[in-house]
Amino acid sequence: MSTGSDILLSVRGISKRYGGVQAVKGLSFQLRRGEILGLLGPNGAGKTTAFNMIAGFVGVDEGEIELDGRRISGRKPWDVCAAGLARTFQLSKPFGGMTARENLVVGSLVKTRDRARSLSKADELLDFLGMSTLASTDADNLTAFERRKVELGRALSTEPSLLLMDEVVAGATPQEAMVMVELIKKVRDRGVTVLIIEHVMKVIMGLSDRVIVMNLGELIADGLPADVVRQDAVLKAYFGEDYVDAGA
Ligand SMILES: Nc1ncnc2c1ncn2[C@@H]1O[C@H](COP(=O)(O)OP(=O)(O)O)[C@@H](O)[C@H]1O
Ligand SMILES: [Mg+2]
């Protein structure tokens, strides 16, 4: 059930502290239905921690997260997944000892117990990923990029309304990266809203409708990709004070 509101995800003032490190501090942003939103920020900015809070992998110290008008903060990852959120990991983790097809069947069991339906959905997704010929290959024997695609397929097999992707092209060749960009655009065309963490500028710029930037746990920019990458605060976060003050 959808509320029909334009806003799919609403993050309001979430924070997380690890010992002496304030990993995320009062982070707020919204994600519109059908949008591809890029999350940028230097290493250690708090991006993965923010993802983990949204996906329910770590609890929020404070703040609130709503998906489709329902509170998901404080709920367990499998509840958050059933509510319509799926994710991929910075280090891809398909299930080893299972074929590509089986990996996709497992995901679909979140939404259906119908075996025939989950098998046909797995095959449709393998086709979507351009991996039909690898259906019976064990995930352990796939290339790193193929494993990434299986992980994407497994996330899609849960029929999410929102997909979170953490550094999808890490370790990919430039050519593979462009294949992934086209796939993610097609994912959005399937009606899935996308929040993506990515370091590779070419990927973020070519893919995102809007980007937000974090630094030291806080949001420092929110806007169109081309505008945000010109902002002083963003350049300082990435390259340091000197770079910007020198008028570079
Ligand atoms: N499980 C954890 N335990 C302790 N510190 C953590 C943990 N996860 C993240 N941190 C710290 O929180 C900060 C933000 O990390 P992270 O969210 O991984 O940033 P990013 O994904 O932007 O690189 C870093 O200083 C990191 O060392
Ligand atoms: Mg990270």
Side-chain angles (χ1 to χ4, degrees):
M1 267 248 306
S2 155
T3 59
S5 151
D6 190 35
I7 302 299
L8 179 65
L9 179 76
S10 182
V11 174
R12 291 194 292 269
I14 60 169
S15 299
K16 184 75 197 178
R17 171 178 285 276
Y18 290 113
V21 179
Q22 189 70 50
V24 173
K25 186 177 172 189
L27 176 68
S28 298
F29 66 91
Q30 293 189 321
L31 191 46
R32 283 185 288 278
R33 225 173 270 282
E35 194 173 28
I36 299 180
L37 179 66
L39 171 53
L40 292 173
N43 251 330
K47 306 181 297 296
T48 297
T49 301
F51 257 43
N52 284 336
M53 285 193 280
I54 295 167
F57 281 67
V58 306
V60 300
D61 290 343
E62 51 187 34
E64 214 172 56
I65 305 165
E66 271 185 11
L67 180 68
D68 222 353
R70 287 166 301 178
R71 200 162 86 111
I72 55 169
S73 42
R75 290 169 62 184
K76 296 294 176 201
W78 47 91
D79 285 338
V80 175
C81 178
L85 185 148
R87 69 172 301 181
T88 64
F89 291 86
Q90 189 165 347
L91 297 169
S92 61
K93 305 176 183 171
F95 301 124
M98 279 191 195
T99 66
R101 193 175 191 228
E102 285 163 349
N103 262 275
L104 303 195
V105 170
V106 170
S108 70
L109 295 175
V110 172
K111 289 282 164 73
T112 179
R113 298 284 155 191
D114 183 333
R115 186 175 156 76
R117 184 160 175 264
S118 60
L119 282 172
S120 71
K121 198 160 80 180
D123 288 338
E124 186 271 319
L125 279 170
L126 286 166
D127 182 51
F128 174 76
L129 299 169
M131 293 185 71
S132 294
T133 57
L134 297 168
S136 305
T137 304
D138 193 291
D140 294 321
N141 295 329
L142 296 170
T143 67
F145 187 61
E146 288 161 352
R147 282 203 297 276
R148 235 170 230 293
K149 290 202 292 183
V150 167
E151 205 195 9
L152 169 60
R154 190 180 58 188
L156 293 176
S157 71
T158 67
E159 299 183 0
S161 53
L162 174 63
L163 175 66
L164 307 187
M165 306 187 81
D166 198 349
E167 305 208 6
V168 274
V169 301
T173 67
Q175 194 191 357
E176 288 168 343
M178 288 305 115
V179 170
M180 187 55 88
V181 164
E182 291 312 310
L183 261 180
I184 296 168
K185 286 181 184 166
K186 286 202 275 173
V187 166
R188 187 253 297 273
D189 294 342
R190 293 167 74 101
V192 180
T193 304
V194 180
L195 175 58
I196 177 171
I197 296 178
E198 187 49 70
H199 277 304
V200 180
M201 278 294 171
K202 195 173 169 200
V203 169
I204 280 289
M205 301 299 278
L207 199 52
S208 311
D209 300 313
R210 183 165 63 101
V211 298
I212 57 177
V213 187
M214 289 180 72
N215 188 40
L216 302 173
E218 295 185 271
L219 192 76
I220 60 165
D222 180 343
L224 296 174
D227 295 338
V228 162
V229 295
R230 286 200 205 93
Q231 291 178 16
D232 274 3
V234 175
L235 295 172
K236 279 179 183 167
Y238 271 92
F239 303 113
E241 301 277 338
D242 296 349
Y243 176 85
V244 178
D245 292 343

